[in-house]
Amino acid sequence: MRFLRGGQAMDRHFCAAAPHEKHADVAGLVGIWHNQICDYATRAVLPYDQRLGQLPDYLQQLEMESNGKSTLMDGPNAPITQDPSSGGQPAPMGSTHSIN
């Protein structure tokens, strides 16, 4: 039930909050900015806990299957990168010495 209450609270927040307070929207827009405007080809996902250690691999697979398309529906290559590749490891393996 606690999980459902958390989801309900997020739904209410999304409906009632001002646009700049919707953190998921802001994060999505920043992601688009980084990929399309800044031309960053990668994104780091660094879990804060070992129990989330497989999250970067899961997200990478999810994005490759869902968003990582480089061909348009009518056949030609897309003129822009469709999705940056994601990767990362939980701390301490994902600490700054690993990503420099």
Side-chain angles (χ1 to χ4, degrees), residues 15-32:
C15 291
H20 67 278
E21 295 174 337
K22 296 179 184 181
H23 300 291
D25 284 3
V26 172
L29 292 172
V30 168
I32 292 169

Side-chain angles (χ1 to χ4, degrees), residues 14-63:
F14 187 81
C15 291
H20 67 278
E21 295 174 337
K22 296 179 184 181
H23 300 291
D25 284 3
V26 172
L29 292 172
V30 168
I32 292 169
W33 173 267
H34 282 168
N35 182 252
Q36 302 298 327
I37 307 301
C38 300
D39 202 27
Y40 297 152
T42 59
R43 168 183 37 237
V45 178
L46 305 174
Y48 56 86
D49 190 287
Q50 292 291 333
R51 291 173 289 182
L52 295 171
Q54 293 181 331
L55 180 63
D57 295 334
Y58 172 79
L59 292 175
Q60 185 179 41
Q61 184 66 29
L62 176 71
E63 290 173 342

Side-chain angles (χ1 to χ4, degrees), residues 41-96:
T42 59
R43 168 183 37 237
V45 178
L46 305 174
Y48 56 86
D49 190 287
Q50 292 291 333
R51 291 173 289 182
L52 295 171
Q54 293 181 331
L55 180 63
D57 295 334
Y58 172 79
L59 292 175
Q60 185 179 41
Q61 184 66 29
L62 176 71
E63 290 173 342
M64 286 190 311
E65 291 178 2
S66 301
N67 303 326
K69 311 299 186 233
S70 61
T71 305
L72 299 176
M73 289 179 65
D74 57 351
N77 287 339
I80 56 175
T81 303
Q82 300 299 300
D83 190 46
S85 61
S86 295
Q89 297 177 342
M93 297 305 294
S95 62
T96 56

